[in-house]
């Protein structure tokens, strides 16, 4: 569980401060990379304290939080889980549930961000490979004695690599939407939990 200091710092900094700074050259998406979700972005309920943080670590809270954080759990089902939990929960327990849920979502989102960065690196490497292959192809084409086998191999490599590169670029829009979907889910779950606050 994140310490209270980290959560408090996120509340103070907010998304604007996190998004500030130099543009990440490894980040291929249109939206700016924000390393972590801030509790203040998606929660207007009670602030966490040491008691709430300890409660958020308990097995009953973690069990519900893990189910809520899963994208494959439809929102109507998530809302029903929250409603069932809220029947015997006070404000502290509900806050603990959302703190735990947000941590699971943020952990999942962090893995997605790392995957997008790896995706971008692969695209950069492939782009470099295509450029080098084209240079070699041009040089061999202009040579007095031409190696036709090598030219054929290079042409096939360039065509195949370019196709892969373009296919990945087309998929990039979908890949970049995943962190946004997670952020929207966190916001929707925050509202659903807050609806049950006494």
């Amino acid at each position: 569980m994140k310490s209270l200091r980290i959560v408090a710092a996120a509340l103070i900094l907010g998304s604007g401060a996190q998004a500030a700074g130099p543009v990440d050259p490894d980040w291929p998406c249109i939206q700016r990379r924000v390393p972590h979700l801030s509790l203040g972005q998606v929660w207007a309920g009670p602030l966490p304290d040491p008691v709430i943080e300890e409660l958020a670590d308990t097995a009953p809270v973690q069990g519900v939080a893990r189910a809520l954080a899963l994208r494959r759990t439809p929102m109507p089902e998530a809302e029903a889980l929250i409603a069932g939990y809220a029947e015997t929960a006070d404000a502290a327990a509900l806050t603990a549930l959302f703190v735990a849920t947000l941590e699971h979502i943020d952990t999942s989102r962090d893995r997605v961000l790392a995957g997008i960065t790896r995706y971008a690196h692969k695209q950069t490497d492939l782009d470099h490979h295509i450029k080098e292959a084209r240079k070699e192809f041009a040089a061999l084409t202009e040579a007095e004695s031409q190696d036709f086998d090598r030219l054929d191999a290079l042409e096939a490599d360039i065509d195949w690599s370019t196709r892969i590169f373009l296919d990945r670029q087309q998929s990039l829009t979908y890949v970049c939407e995943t962190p946004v979907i997670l952020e929207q889910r966190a916001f929707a779950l925050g509202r659903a939990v807050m609806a049950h606050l006494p």
Side-chain angles (χ1 to χ4, degrees), residues 8 10-11 20-21 24-25 56 64 69 76 96 105 116-117 121 128 145 151 153 158 172:
L11 283 167
D24 186 347
V64 178
I105 292 174
I116 291 173
T117 298
H121 287 168
H128 178 74
S145 177
L151 282 168
I158 292 167
L172 187 59

Side-chain angles (χ1 to χ4, degrees), residues 17 50 85-86 90 109 128 137 153 176:
Y85 177 87
D90 59 9
R109 183 177 172 277
H128 178 74
F137 185 86
C176 287

Side-chain angles (χ1 to χ4, degrees), residues 137-152:
F137 185 86
L140 288 174
T141 301
E142 294 172 1
E144 290 184 10
S145 177
Q146 295 188 350
D147 182 345
F148 292 105
D149 288 340
R150 179 59 181 161
L151 282 168
D152 288 345

Side-chain angles (χ1 to χ4, degrees), residues 3 18-19 22 29 70-71 73 75 92 110 120 129 134 155 161 175:
S3 71
Q18 289 177 0
C29 303
L70 292 173
R71 281 190 292 163
T73 303
M75 278 307 296
D110 188 56
H129 171 77
R134 284 176 176 163
E155 186 173 23
S161 297
V175 171

Side-chain angles (χ1 to χ4, degrees), residues 175-197:
V175 171
C176 287
E177 284 176 357
T178 306
V180 177
I181 291 169
L182 288 169
E183 291 158 18
Q184 290 170 344
R185 183 171 184 85
F187 179 74
L189 289 170
R191 285 197 305 175
V193 174
M194 283 187 288
H196 294 278
L197 286 172

